[in-house]
């Protein structure tokens, strides 16, 4: 029988309510249930979280780092998106 | 997730002078390199080798201690040892997953370990015949690992650095539980104290060898420092370890088995440090190359684990496939 590779999953953990799930690493598991169980054993042995997401790694689409300059650069010349762009007299107070 | 199809297909496989200079400039600016970023092939290969070896060391490192789980002298010790060995398994998994972001598969790494092509830390090829050895591993081996791993938290490769942060957070318990075991023996009966001393005599030199060859004989060291994979040289880390550990031994009345060990106030730029005796590099290379007392056992144990687990892996995959198929049929039926 040909060896099938056990799929790779990315693991996200929320450390406590009120915070986002955050990527912590990956692991191999045959299916979602096993992935969740492994994620618990591998990534939360010391109360690192109260919620786990697992996602098949192949399902994640990533932006191309070679195109990072053109993808993110336009944001730099839109200074009018920042509060400091606007002149308001100091005596108006905090705004 | 990062690397599928990336190896060899990158647009920057042309390693021009300008490309290498740009990469080095990012490193010099303390930018982290992430898996999808363009990187020199040699940087990628160095990391795959180093992270792979590191992962293998964690996994093989479970064996000498696992040997004592069923024979731990008290329930407290048994719980601690179980938790520690489980942590080491976790460390191996964090590291394998960091290496996989560089485009090597778990199966390839496992194959390299089992076939003997990949190396792991020479320290785990020594036997653990007494309970004192379990204390000694925690104190010295985890202690040396901490010296090595703390600077790796600042490694230039993001996934490795992040894995190291997790690992380092867990290591200090390992060293403390080990030192507590040794301390308890050292305060015990004459036989217990003797057992602790005998164990220190056996583990001291192999622990110093964990830092690897002298800087002058370490072929990859300069480039790794330049790439900020390493932050300190082997000899620097070894010296730090000796300076930190000697007082810990004195505190519990054990003697470091080195007649040349001597305080030298000039060392470490006048801060003082210990001079110590010469290491037996013939032994080091013999053990690294497979001639240590336990090399064969360690690999045999890993092979057995891999073979005995085969049916579980296959059954889990078959079960997953069947469930997926059923879910698909049910969906069609419902439409
Ligand atoms: Fe570890
Ligand atoms: Fe450890």
């Amino acid at each position: 029988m040909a060896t099938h590779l056990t799929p790779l999953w990315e693991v996200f953990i929320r450390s406590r309510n009120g915070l986002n799930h955050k990527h912590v690493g990956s692991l191999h598991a045959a299916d979602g249930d096993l992935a969740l169980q492994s994620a618990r054993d591998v990534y939360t042995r010391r109360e690192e979280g109260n919620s786990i997401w697992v996602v098949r790694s192949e399902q994640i689409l990533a932006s191309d780092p070679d195109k990072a300059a053109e993808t993110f650069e336009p944001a730099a010349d839109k200074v009018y998106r920042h509060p400091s762009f606007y002149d308001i007299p100091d005596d108006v107070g905090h705004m | 997730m990062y690397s599928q199809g990336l190896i060899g297909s990158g647009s920057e496989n042309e390693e021009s002078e300008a490309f290498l200079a740009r990469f080095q400039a990012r490193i010099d600016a303390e930018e982290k390199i992430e898996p999808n970023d363009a990187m020199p092939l040699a940087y990628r290969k160095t990391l795959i080798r180093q992270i792979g070896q590191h992962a293998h060391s964690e996994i093989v490192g479970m064996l000498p201690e696992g040997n004592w789980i069923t024979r731990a002298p008290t329930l407290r010790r048994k719980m601690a040892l179980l938790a520690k060995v489980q942590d080491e398994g976790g460390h191996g998994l964090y590291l394998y997953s960091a290496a996989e972001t560089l485009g090597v598969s778990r199966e390839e790494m496992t194959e390299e370990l089992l076939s003997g092509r990949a190396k792991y830390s020479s320290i785990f090829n020594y036997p653990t015949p007494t309970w004192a050895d379990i204390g000694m591993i925690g104190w010295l081996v985890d202690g040396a690992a901490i010296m090595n791993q703390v600077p790796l938290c600042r490694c230039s490769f993001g996934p490795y650095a992040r894995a190291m942060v997790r690992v380092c957070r867990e290591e200090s318990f390992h060293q403390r539980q080990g030192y507590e075991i040794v301390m308890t023996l050292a305060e015990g009966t004459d036989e217990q104290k003797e057992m602790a001393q005998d164990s220190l005599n056996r583990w001291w030199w192999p622990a110093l060898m964990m830092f690897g060859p002298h800087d002058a004989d370490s072929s990859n060291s300069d480039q790794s420092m330049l790439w900020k994979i390493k932050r300190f040289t082997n000899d620097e880390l070894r010296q730090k370890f000796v300076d930190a550990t000697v007082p810990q031994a004195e505190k519990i009345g054990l003697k470091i088995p080195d007649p040349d060990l001597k305080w030298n106030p000039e060392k470490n730029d006048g801060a003082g440090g210990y001079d110590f005796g010469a290491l037996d590099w013939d032994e080091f290379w013999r053990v690294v190359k497979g001639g240590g007392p336990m090399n064969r056992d360690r690999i045999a144990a890993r092979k057995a684990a891999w073979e005995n687990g085969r049916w579980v892996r296959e059954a889990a995959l078959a079960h997953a496939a069947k469930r997926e198929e059923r879910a698909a049929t049910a969906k069609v039926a419902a439409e």
Side-chain angles (χ1 to χ4, degrees), chain A residues 28-81:
Chain A
H28 289 270
D31 61 32
D33 290 343
L34 290 172
L36 279 170
Q37 239 174 58
S38 287
R40 173 198 165 273
D41 291 343
V42 177
Y43 291 105
T44 65
R45 288 192 303 282
R46 288 178 178 76
E47 302 175 279
E48 284 91 341
N50 65 8
S51 170
I52 303 173
W53 289 350
V54 291
V55 183
R56 279 287 286 269
S57 307
E58 61 185 23
Q59 302 277 347
I60 291 182
L61 300 182
S63 62
D64 183 349
D66 286 345
K67 298 206 178 89
E70 64 220 65
T71 311
F72 302 108
E73 194 280 335
D77 54 55
K78 295 184 176 59
V79 285
Y80 48 85
R81 286 180 173 164

Side-chain angles (χ1 to χ4, degrees), chain B residues 229-261:
Chain B
I229 294 173
K230 286 176 74 158
R231 299 278 178 165
F232 295 97
T233 69
N234 296 352
D235 286 329
E236 284 170 337
L237 291 169
R238 190 164 16 241
Q239 184 66 48
K240 273 175 189 261
F241 175 73
V242 171
D243 293 342
T245 312
V246 171
Q248 295 165 355
E250 279 169 1
K251 185 129 194 105
I252 53 178
L254 294 183
K255 197 175 169 330
I256 303 285
D258 178 359
D260 297 323
L261 188 78

Side-chain angles (χ1 to χ4, degrees), chain B residues 83-102:
Chain B
K84 180 192 189 282
V85 172
Q86 191 191 13
D87 275 352
E88 304 301 2
H91 297 176
L93 296 180
Y94 308 152
L95 285 161
Y96 281 131
S97 94
E100 283 172 90
T101 66
L102 289 160

